Amino acid sequence: MRKSAVTSGLVLTTGLAVVLTSCASTDGGSYSTEEVTDGTTDIVVVTNPGDGKTLTMAKDSFELIEETDGGSTLAFKDMNGNGELDAWEDWRLDPEERAAALAPQLSADQVSGLMLFSSHERAPGDGLTDAQQEYLSDSYLRNVLYAGGNDIEPVVEWTNEMQAYVETLVSDDEPYIPVNFSSDPRNDAADSYAGASGGVSQWPSSLGMAATFDPDVVEQFGSVASAEYRALGLANALSPQIDLATEPRWLRVNGTFGEEVDLASEMASAYVDGFQGTFDEDGENLGWGTDSVSTVIKHFPGDGVGEGGREAHTNAGKYGVLPGDNLDEHVAPFLAAIDAGGVMTSYSILLDGEGDPAYGNAMGSAYDSERVDILREENGYDGVIVTDWGVTAGGETDPDALIGTSWGADDLTVEERHFEVLKAGVDQFGGNNDIAPIQEAYTMWEAAHEAGDLEQSAEDRWAESGRRILTNLLRVGLYDSAYQDLAVSESVVGNDDFKQAGLDAQHDSLVVLKNNDGTIAEGTTAEDLEDLTVYIPRSFDTGHDGLFGPATYTEGESIDLETAEHYFGTVVTDEAELNDDEEVVSYTAPDLSDVDLVLVGMSNPNNGTNFDSAGLDQETGEFYPLSLQYRPYTADGDSVRKTSISGDTLEDGSKENRSYYGSTSRISNEADLDAFERAVDAVEASGEDIPVVTLLSISNGAVIPTEFEADSDAIVWGSGVSDAAFLDVALGLNEPTGRLPIALPKDMDSVEASLEDVADTTPYVDSEGNSYEFGFGLGADGQPIE
């Protein structure tokens, strides 16, 4: 196993309290205190002797309680102001025991607030907003999703300030609850999070990490990313996404660990261990501690089975289908990672191959007790279950919601939806800042209990969820120390050791699919490249209209020129003719007579994003196919379903047909293939034998290579990696070790013939006779890696 970068000697923990422990002696028999500041919040640090916990709190917030233990005087925070050491305040006890002691003491409103999980929040840079103070105080919200960048100073100041603010809200009847900040994945090298100011270390996407076939890489990533999260004040990860990628057209394939159940299960388990663990100097995982970040595995029981690959964030893809009756394989990665602190439910209405509900009802997973019971009853899971964002919004009774995914519950009121989700056994509501619907659900629950319809009282049901949620807060040490030291955070986030570990993983994740006649030369050095002239074509993407606005047009070199110029003596590109809207009319390739190498960057065919209703024309109501080829694809083959498995029940009692038979795809970056063909034509026109190397970047679904493979001398596949990492491998500076975590399909007919819930797509066989199947990749010698 690789030694964790967290234990490289740079820093063993990231929390302010632990770092400041060195400022006070722990050799004596009594605790000590010290005041520090981040420039906005004044913080008291309490250092207990020996192995005692270091505590932090805002100045003038809590009093300390002293206890004598084994001759030492220990300090504890009096977080309810009663002058006594309650069990939940005693850091010597296990988190589970503390949570069980505290949950019954919380008011119904406090637990209702814990059930809220905020919409996407950002650090404003000038203190808490009025809206943030309101949901913290009036709605008792404590689970905040941070969706901003990685500029360290404003983030640390904001998280510290919010922690200090909630300490002021404590009363005799309502004990203290710290804020639990969460994040979606933010370390993907091809994502905007990683490139933000003060950026975190950059790693491959989950699909890219799966291409390493090495769970140790994933565990190392978890240990590094969790250190960076904690340095930013984040203690909960809304990841990993461990849906099986059995449907190659699905728009979220890059967030998965691939199509194969055993590999995905190993990677999911390693991810959870890396994030939730605390590592000693020898790299041994000691379990929960101050470096831990609780994980939320998603989207249970697997959301990668949308009919035709359509995505469940919008009405276009609200149905998942199981024509292969293969749900057990999709559930398996979740059971492998069941130690996760949280599980997020999927959006989809799940149907069997006949179009009937696969489980209890034709509703999203959060409403289906039978799917929840796979976790709770069949596998004894007692962690937090949270809905995906917006499942109680939208529909007939909430038509003004920006994002509404109440699939199957559209006719229920927002309050009734909360009630039904809680009845199913779910604990938290993603994307809801408002306590009112949960308060109403409490009233509904108590009425149903008094009527004999529900055995459990509302008080007990709320305390049950409260205990689960509090357990995670206590496991990561938020009750003892919720603050960060700015100077330490700046030394941790994106430090050199972490960046190097991420770059190494990017290199290991890249897959060489083709290397004709040693185009990628083994043992190349930087000096071999510095006098070369290289041509990189340009391309554009017209984008897609979506929920957040009209399509965005993008244009530029297919590989970043500034990056390429670090490798080569000269880099040339196309001349572009633009119209008045700054959009490309035509490109002209340069004369390649003096060019030594052609590098073409290609992204997977762009069908749109989660929020673009990809596969459904919102104006006409026409369904159209998602495609894995650049040129227009008309779905009129024998394997295309003329009648869909899924469909709404219409007013006349008939079933909607969601088939796209006879319709044509709508790819927005067909220009990528134009760029490739323009480069090939320019090589032929030059009369020179110039190698063409294709860098294939996968940002969601897989891609069919039939349109460009034969004319490529070499092809390198990657997911979530930087252009620099791509070039390092494509130029032979780093040895290729990656293998495909998903098969690349032969053609769209093979995709249509496959089943959404089964990894059964026929792989492409290239002009060298290699099959681009799961596990394929070439080594430095040009031979398949065993």
Side-chain angles (χ1 to χ4, degrees):
M1 175 181 173
R2 301 179 179 204
K3 188 173 181 181
S4 168
V6 178
T7 61
S8 64
L10 173 71
V11 60
L12 297 181
T13 77
T14 60
L16 167 139
V18 178
V19 174
L20 290 179
T21 298
S22 61
C23 297
S25 172
T26 57
D27 297 331
S30 184
Y31 68 90
S32 61
T33 64
E34 181 181 4
E35 292 185 12
V36 297
T37 183
D38 64 8
T40 299
T41 303
D42 295 327
I43 302 162
V44 175
V45 182
V46 182
T47 304
N48 277 296
D51 295 330
K53 290 282 181 71
T54 299
L55 313 177
T56 61
M57 56 189 177
K59 184 180 179 182
D60 300 325
S61 60
F62 303 129
E63 300 294 333
L64 294 177
I65 296 173
E66 294 184 0
E67 288 272 320
T68 300
D69 186 344
S72 296
T73 302
L74 308 179
F76 304 83
K77 293 190 289 185
D78 186 7
M79 292 177 278
N80 59 4
N82 66 357
E84 300 177 1
L85 180 60
D86 296 295
W88 63 274
E89 297 169 327
D90 191 342
W91 44 258
R92 295 169 298 186
L93 302 180
D94 291 335
E96 292 77 8
E97 185 176 352
R98 295 173 70 181
L102 176 57
Q105 298 183 36
L106 301 184
S107 67
D109 282 347
Q110 282 188 292
V111 179
S112 295
L114 278 176
M115 291 176 174
L116 298 172
F117 214 127
S118 84
S119 56
H120 295 65
E121 295 291 317
R122 289 165 176 80
D126 56 356
L128 307 184
T129 66
D130 291 342
Q132 289 166 352
Q133 292 188 45
E134 182 177 353
Y135 66 57
L136 292 168
S137 58
D138 296 354
S139 285
Y140 300 89
L141 187 150
R142 292 295 183 273
N143 299 284
V144 175
L145 172 54
Y146 176 62
N150 303 304
D151 199 357
I152 302 168
E153 183 173 352
V155 178
V156 169
E157 289 179 356
W158 179 66
T159 57
N160 282 347
E161 185 176 5
M162 192 173 284
Q163 297 291 6
Y165 178 72
V166 298
E167 289 181 2
T168 69
L169 303 179
V170 175
S171 69
D172 292 341
D173 299 324
E174 295 177 337
Y176 165 65
I177 305 174
V179 179
N180 189 19
F181 291 98
S182 299
S183 176
D184 284 315
R186 57 178 52 243
N187 291 77
D188 185 320
D191 192 284
S192 60
Y193 273 147
S197 176
V200 295
S201 58
Q202 300 184 18
W203 296 71
S205 70
S206 290
L207 187 67
M209 283 190 280
T212 70
F213 279 68
D214 187 352
D216 289 342
V217 171
V218 179
E219 184 177 277
Q220 182 192 34
F221 162 70
S223 70
V224 168
S226 62
E228 293 181 319
Y229 276 35
R230 290 308 296 263
L232 292 169
L234 314 174
N236 191 64
L238 293 177
S239 58
Q241 180 195 328
I242 57 177
D243 315 85
L244 278 188
T246 52
E247 168 48 72
R249 292 168 291 186
W250 191 40
L251 300 181
R252 305 191 71 179
V253 167
N254 69 314
T256 75
F257 290 120
E259 67 179 32
E260 202 274 330
V261 61
D262 291 335
L263 177 64
S265 296
E266 282 189 272
M267 296 299 192
S269 177
Y271 190 111
V272 170
D273 287 347
F275 262 87
Q276 293 187 169
T278 294
F279 294 81
D280 66 14
E281 293 183 2
D282 297 321
E284 181 180 354
N285 192 337
L286 305 178
W288 293 103
T290 54
D291 288 344
S292 298
V293 170
S294 184
T295 58
V296 178
I297 53 178
K298 60 186 186 182
H299 308 86
F300 186 82
D303 215 18
V305 295
E307 186 167 17
R310 296 188 294 262
E311 177 24 56
H313 273 79
T314 66
N315 175 62
K318 67 181 178 181
Y319 289 102
V321 294
L322 300 169
D325 193 25
N326 196 34
L327 184 65
D328 286 349
E329 280 204 356
H330 287 261
V331 170
F334 292 90
L335 303 185
I338 203 166
D339 289 337
V343 178
M344 184 184 293
T345 58
S346 66
Y347 283 129
S348 297
I349 299 171
L350 195 60
L351 306 178
D352 63 20
E354 304 302 315
D356 297 319
Y359 281 85
N361 53 46
M363 303 176 80
S365 294
Y367 294 92
D368 191 348
S369 61
E370 289 194 20
R371 274 177 270 179
V372 173
D373 281 350
I374 297 172
L375 290 170
R376 294 282 193 225
E377 301 300 324
E378 296 179 22
N379 291 282
Y381 183 70
D382 193 37
V384 175
I385 301 180
V386 57
T387 73
D388 209 332
W389 265 232
V391 304
T392 58
E396 300 172 11
T397 58
D398 187 28
D400 297 328
L402 177 62
I403 299 176
T405 53
S406 57
W407 310 139
D410 289 350
D411 58 340
L412 300 180
T413 67
V414 171
E415 293 78 12
E416 289 169 338
R417 293 170 192 166
H418 284 77
F419 178 48
E420 292 299 325
V421 167
L422 288 167
K423 282 169 59 180
V426 175
D427 302 296
Q428 289 183 308
F429 298 90
N432 184 1
N433 291 16
D434 182 12
I435 195 174
I438 304 180
Q439 291 172 319
E440 182 60 29
Y442 187 97
T443 301
M444 292 179 183
W445 190 291
E446 193 56 31
H449 171 65
E450 292 176 357
D453 297 330
L454 290 173
E455 181 177 344
Q456 191 176 28
S457 70
E459 181 180 6
D460 289 346
R461 175 64 183 87
W462 261 239
E464 184 177 63
S465 284
R467 174 185 55 79
R468 292 172 182 147
I469 299 165
L470 290 171
T471 298
N472 281 345
L473 272 64
L474 286 156
R475 281 172 171 169
V476 298
L478 289 179
Y479 266 89
D480 303 316
S481 180
Y483 294 87
Q484 303 303 312
D485 180 274
L486 180 57
V488 172
S489 296
E490 290 173 335
S491 71
V492 170
V493 177
N495 68 65
D496 290 344
D497 287 347
F498 288 2
K499 286 181 177 178
Q500 186 60 53
L503 182 59
D504 289 345
Q506 290 184 59
H507 290 148
D508 291 349
S509 75
L510 286 158
V511 182
V512 173
L513 297 177
K514 185 177 182 180
N515 187 13
N516 187 30
D517 294 332
T519 297
I520 300 175
E522 189 173 2
T524 302
T525 66
E527 289 75 19
D528 297 329
L529 305 172
E530 59 188 13
D531 293 328
L532 298 184
T533 298
V534 173
Y535 165 51
I536 297 173
R538 292 167 68 171
S539 183
F540 63 88
D541 189 328
T542 59
H544 295 266
D545 293 338
L547 185 63
F548 301 116
T552 300
Y553 184 95
T554 56
E555 191 277 333
E557 293 79 16
S558 62
I559 299 168
D560 182 66
L561 286 193
E562 185 175 350
T563 299
E565 286 167 351
H566 287 292
Y567 294 81
F568 308 111
T570 304
V571 180
V572 297
T573 189
D574 299 315
E575 180 180 338
E577 179 185 351
L578 306 179
N579 62 22
D580 293 341
D581 294 325
E582 296 297 309
E583 295 178 351
V584 173
V585 174
S586 66
Y587 288 121
T588 302
D591 180 358
L592 303 191
S593 300
D594 296 324
V595 166
D596 301 293
L597 176 67
V598 174
L599 293 170
V600 184
M602 301 179 72
S603 298
N604 52 259
N606 186 359
N607 290 280
T609 72
N610 302 349
F611 299 101
D612 293 345
S613 294
L616 174 62
D617 188 310
Q618 290 294 307
E619 293 185 3
T620 67
E622 173 194 5
F623 286 89
Y624 60 87
L626 304 185
S627 177
L628 301 181
Q629 65 183 44
Y630 294 95
R631 297 303 183 212
Y633 161 67
T634 299
D636 55 6
D638 293 340
S639 297
V640 180
R641 292 183 190 126
K642 294 182 179 179
T643 301
S644 61
I645 294 173
S646 65
D648 295 342
T649 299
L650 304 177
E651 291 184 4
D652 63 3
S654 64
K655 183 178 179 180
E656 173 193 29
N657 186 6
R658 293 182 157 230
S659 170
Y660 46 77
Y661 183 83
S663 296
T664 301
S665 61
R666 304 184 183 187
I667 301 300
S668 63
N669 65 331
E670 185 179 349
D672 278 14
L673 185 56
D674 293 336
F676 176 85
E677 293 179 348
R678 185 168 60 256
V680 171
D681 290 344
V683 170
E684 292 180 357
S686 74
E688 304 292 332
D689 185 16
I690 307 171
V692 177
V693 178
T694 305
L695 308 185
L696 182 59
S697 178
I698 298 299
S699 61
N700 45 55
V703 64
I704 296 168
T706 184
E707 296 171 298
F708 58 87
E709 178 272 318
D711 290 324
S712 297
D713 294 290
I715 303 174
V716 182
W717 176 103
S719 181
V721 300
S722 64
D723 283 356
F726 254 125
L727 291 172
D728 288 343
V729 171
L731 300 173
L733 298 172
N734 281 82
E735 180 177 342
T737 59
R739 294 185 286 150
L740 286 175
I742 49 174
L744 302 191
K746 173 185 176 182
D747 50 33
M748 283 304 298
D749 285 340
S750 71
V751 173
E752 298 288 8
S754 67
L755 303 176
E756 283 89 343
D757 59 327
V758 181
D760 59 350
T761 306
T762 303
Y764 177 80
V765 177
D766 72 10
S767 54
E768 304 295 310
N770 289 315
S771 176
Y772 292 178
E773 61 194 19
F774 171 83
F776 172 73
L778 299 177
D781 58 0
Q783 298 301 308
I785 299 170
E786 298 296 333

